[in-house]
Amino acid sequence: MIGQQTLSKTTNNQMATGIFILLTFLFLAALGINWYVDREQQRDLQRWESRLAFIADSRIASIEQWLTTQFSALNELANNPSLQLYLWQTTQGSKQNTTPKPAQLRFLRNLIWASAEREGFVSIPSKIPANITRKRATGIALIDTNLNFVTATEGMPALTELDKQTIEAAINGRPNQLGPLRLDGADNSVILFAVPVLPVLGAEPDTQKKPIGAVIGLRNANQDLFPLLRQGASFAEENEALILTQQENRIHYLSPTRDGIRPGKKQLPFSKQNLAASTAFSDSMDIGPYTNYMGNDVLTTSRPFKMAPWKIQQQVNAKQALRESNDHRNFLFITLSLALLSIAALTIAAWRHGSSVKALQQNEALKGKTEQLQKQSSLLHAITDNIDSQTLLISNQGKILFANEAIADSLGIELQNLRGSYFNAVFDQASRQKIEAAEKSTGSNIIELQVGKKTGVYQTTLLPIKKLGKHYNPLLLVLNDVTQLHRSQQKQELMLRDLVSTLVHVVDLHDPYSAYHSIHMAEVANAIGEALQLNSADMKTLDLAATLANLGKIMIPKEVLTKTEPLTEAEHDLLQKHVQYGLELLENLNFDGPVTQTIAQKQEHLDGSGYPNHLSGERMSLTGKILSVANAFVALASPRAYREGLSITDSVDLLMEKTGAHYDRQVVAALFHIVENRKDWSQWRNEGMT
């Protein structure tokens, strides 16, 4: 009886200890799940913070480049010696109560007008059959030290008090003064630029060389500044870039907003709870979510301007941006929680079962498992020793724990001698370095190795294992010899390149006026693809499609291609069939990517007015949109049998006029950036027949 009581007490103590351990495990596991889910959320927010910061920095750079361009144009005008001399003579004449000469004023007026039209401060006026002064929101003017107009472009509006304060700062010797964004009488958002004008060299002693006036420029922000907020890369999610400023305790929205209120009209209190715009003027580094001016949750980041007292704030709809990550986190939480509950249930079941089984039964079960393990081990050896994959299991000290027959045969070492030796002793230094480098990357790697006396190309897979028996962090190395496959792929790629070169040469011989078209189109398409950061597979598809896009022209009679007179309707219809002819010639070739699908979209337009399939924008691929723009650009800028090539600038302008209707806005913007900053294709106009 005493023995039974002691056994019962011992059992109860063991049960209490087991329950305590299980509850502790469940609590710690729940904390771990919550920590992991929170870390995933922070990682998603950090990725969005980087994306928003990149876009904000890009748009600030574009706007400040635009501001610099305006000041450069006005400074060039202010440093004109003739303007300095005539303005000085004019100001001297006013001091002596003499009237400026008409010739001087006429020269200044013509100079101001020419500069304004050249730099885009005014458009070239259309002819109006009446002597009517038109009011404008833009223009250039020359101001004396009394803040009076000396001359100005037609329709220049009167100066406001804010304008006068900006001009006075410039006249007092402070260069490059930028006025605040404000609304004019027609509710246009305008911005004033002011630079000082110094007297001509020698007119006054250097010690008295003070500004004698100012050149001012007025630009329409609606037309010239705010469109820069929408240029460049963007997101699929609803997003918005805003220009903000703070005056006293209120936030002023200087740029257009989605609720339709005019720029500069909208303002909200800085203290409004959780307002996204307020974070631009606080020390907060958190990207949100915050609430925007319409009450929607947004993620946001802000950047200051160097040249203006503004902040740019880039926002993206938080619900759309975090939808995928929230779904992922919910899935992780549910999955891990179910796994935890399953582990707990299995633990309880195993414990109860184990406590009710006698020691003898446990020993018999252990014996059976041992026999099963031995059988599985024998089966594993039988499998690994009869497969072509060369397999090694290496400890964290570099000792070979397991090796199969395939790797032993390749190394020329007896299997029993290989197991227990060291990794450094069976591979040369160059191969070890390549394998160690592959260990840092994920997945399989194709690398050239020397295994034994053979040098070949191997598919190398490295799988880290947390624990195997008493060994921690061993590494499983699997090598598959793909030397023949690799050589076959290289040969196939070489044959494809030779075939492409031959086909392009045939097209050039058939249509001598378009001899450079394929080469130029591939060059332009590749430049646009790099600017839009296409992946390597899409870049390869785009390059091959651009090179082969004109293959169908060999089916068009040469006299149609080289005809200098206008084509008849039948000839025009025949010429349009060259796309379909090209696809028919290529239909039996196997390409890695959608090369033929991209070629089929070479002549398509976003509005469906192109050919041959009249595809609209949503049905066109990105590579097809790029090829369409590249083809049109090269065709405009290159000479043809019936015309000379256009200038690069005129070609880009024509494409921009058809942006949205025929061509993708993002693709044309990338081409514009390339032409402005990176490429010079002006020599195309001088290329004749080859």
Side-chain angles (χ1 to χ4, degrees), residues 389-392 458-463 476-480:
S389 296
Q390 303 173 23
T391 307
L392 283 177
Y458 292 84
Q459 181 182 20
T460 306
T461 304
L462 294 126
L463 300 174
L476 180 65
L477 172 64
V478 180
L479 302 177
N480 287 288

Side-chain angles (χ1 to χ4, degrees), residues 255-526:
S255 59
T257 54
R258 291 182 179 274
D259 55 6
I261 297 178
R262 288 184 177 276
K265 291 278 190 177
K266 189 173 191 64
Q267 53 180 283
L268 292 173
F270 176 85
S271 58
K272 186 176 180 180
Q273 185 177 7
N274 206 39
L275 180 64
S278 298
T279 64
F281 303 92
S282 67
D283 296 330
S284 174
M285 301 298 292
D286 188 10
I287 70 166
Y290 296 100
T291 304
N292 68 359
Y293 54 87
M294 292 193 296
N296 298 326
D297 288 341
V298 294
L299 303 180
T300 182
T301 191
S302 305
R303 292 291 187 273
F305 285 85
K306 296 179 181 178
M307 301 179 63
W310 310 330
K311 296 286 185 72
I312 189 169
Q313 187 168 75
Q314 185 68 45
Q315 301 179 355
V316 66
N317 186 287
K319 184 177 181 181
Q320 296 177 7
L322 299 178
R323 180 190 297 116
E324 183 176 349
S325 59
N326 285 335
D327 293 342
H328 178 61
R329 286 195 297 275
N330 291 337
F331 172 79
L332 286 176
F333 186 85
I334 294 172
T335 302
L336 293 176
S337 298
L338 290 175
L340 179 60
L341 292 175
S342 299
I343 292 172
L346 290 173
T347 302
I348 294 172
W351 178 80
R352 292 189 62 183
H353 175 72
S355 64
S356 64
V357 176
K358 297 179 181 180
L360 181 59
Q361 293 173 330
Q362 292 176 345
N363 290 335
E364 290 177 353
L366 180 60
K367 181 180 178 181
K369 290 181 179 178
T370 302
E371 293 176 353
Q372 183 181 7
L373 180 60
Q374 290 175 346
K375 292 179 181 179
Q376 291 176 346
S377 178
S378 299
L379 178 61
L380 176 62
H381 282 282
I383 293 174
T384 57
D385 288 340
N386 289 279
I387 61 175
D388 294 333
S389 296
Q390 303 173 23
T391 307
L392 283 177
L393 184 64
I394 309 166
S395 71
N396 55 6
Q397 288 84 25
K399 188 176 182 179
I400 297 177
L401 304 176
F402 172 84
N404 69 345
E405 289 285 356
I407 188 69
D409 292 342
S410 296
L411 293 171
I413 303 174
E414 292 293 333
L415 184 60
Q416 59 270 22
N417 296 331
L418 183 59
R419 294 172 181 170
S421 62
Y422 284 86
F423 176 71
N424 290 348
V426 297
F427 284 94
D428 64 6
Q429 182 179 2
S431 296
R432 291 199 308 270
Q433 290 175 348
K434 293 178 182 179
I435 293 173
E436 290 169 359
E439 183 180 357
K440 299 177 182 178
S441 61
T442 58
S444 299
N445 295 272
I446 304 298
I447 55 179
E448 183 176 344
L449 299 173
Q450 181 175 346
V451 181
K453 297 181 179 181
K454 177 184 177 182
T455 300
V457 179
Y458 292 84
Q459 181 182 20
T460 306
T461 304
L462 294 126
L463 300 174
I465 302 173
K466 290 185 178 180
K467 185 180 179 183
L468 184 64
K470 63 180 181 179
H471 298 283
Y472 289 88
N473 303 317
L475 186 67
L476 180 65
L477 172 64
V478 180
L479 302 177
N480 287 288
D481 190 348
V482 294
T483 305
Q484 295 300 326
L485 177 61
H486 183 70
R487 291 174 179 171
S488 177
Q489 289 177 341
Q490 287 183 326
K491 183 177 180 180
Q492 183 178 4
E493 290 179 359
L494 181 61
M495 291 177 62
L496 181 59
R497 286 197 298 268
D498 291 342
L499 176 60
V500 169
S501 299
T502 302
L503 292 175
V504 171
H505 183 63
V506 171
V507 174
D508 291 345
L509 292 175
H510 189 65
D511 184 8
Y513 283 102
S514 299
Y516 296 98
H517 191 95
S518 298
I519 297 175
H520 294 164
M521 185 158 55
E523 181 181 355
V524 174
N526 286 330

